[in-house]
């Protein structure tokens, strides 16, 4: 059987081969770094979602003051807003949208 023997590279060719290897190493490391950054970003988004995707349904019963009437409801960011009319006075209740726990109460009354 005959074997093909590659001739020894000239000094100029050896320098060129070393340069190409170095450029390939740089390109490979840059690509690996970019892929790692994308995987880290995806993992961060999946694990830092604060349970919004996997949150279980919650049943909450909120008690209204006697004689109260719901005027309007709305969503503002991560809050639910309920406007009430309680005997002529306006009251605004806010709830956390994820947990439905009360977040605040604002009462408006007329000055005498």
């Amino acid at each position: 059987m005959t074997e093909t023997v590659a001739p020894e590279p000239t000094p100029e060719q050896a320098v060129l081969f070393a340069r190409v290897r170095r450029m390939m190493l740089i390109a490979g490391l840059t690509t690996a770094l970019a892929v790692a950054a994308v995987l880290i970003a995806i993992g961060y988004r999946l694990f830092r979602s604060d349970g919004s995707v996997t949150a279980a349904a919650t049943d909450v019963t909120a008690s209204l003051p006697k004689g109260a009437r719901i005027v309007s409801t709305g969503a503002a960011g991560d809050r639910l807003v309920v406007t009430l009319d309680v005997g002529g006075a306006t009251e605004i209740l806010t709830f956390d949208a994820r947990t439905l726990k009360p977040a605040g109460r604002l009462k408006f009354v007329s000055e005498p």
Side-chain angles (χ1 to χ4, degrees):
M1 227 188 237
T2 61
E3 293 183 23
T4 306
V5 177
E8 280 295 315
T10 63
E12 294 87 17
Q13 289 174 334
V15 170
L16 181 65
F17 290 158
R19 188 173 176 199
V20 168
R21 280 191 197 108
R22 189 172 40 244
M23 289 188 334
M24 287 176 57
L25 180 66
I26 291 170
L29 290 175
T30 304
T31 302
L33 183 65
V35 168
V38 168
L39 292 176
I40 288 171
I42 290 171
Y44 178 80
R45 294 290 300 227
L46 286 176
F47 291 110
R48 294 288 295 176
S49 64
D50 293 331
S52 62
V53 175
T54 60
T58 306
D59 292 333
V60 175
T61 302
S63 299
L64 297 177
K66 191 167 204 135
R69 184 176 63 90
I70 296 176
V71 177
S72 68
T73 60
D78 60 346
R79 303 275 191 226
L80 298 175
V81 181
V82 179
T83 305
L84 303 174
D85 179 25
V86 184
T90 303
E91 190 172 323
I92 298 175
L93 303 174
T94 56
F95 299 91
D96 184 72
R98 290 191 178 108
T99 63
L100 297 179
K101 292 183 180 177
R105 170 179 265 170
L106 178 61
K107 294 181 181 182
F108 296 98
V109 293
S110 300
E111 287 188 39

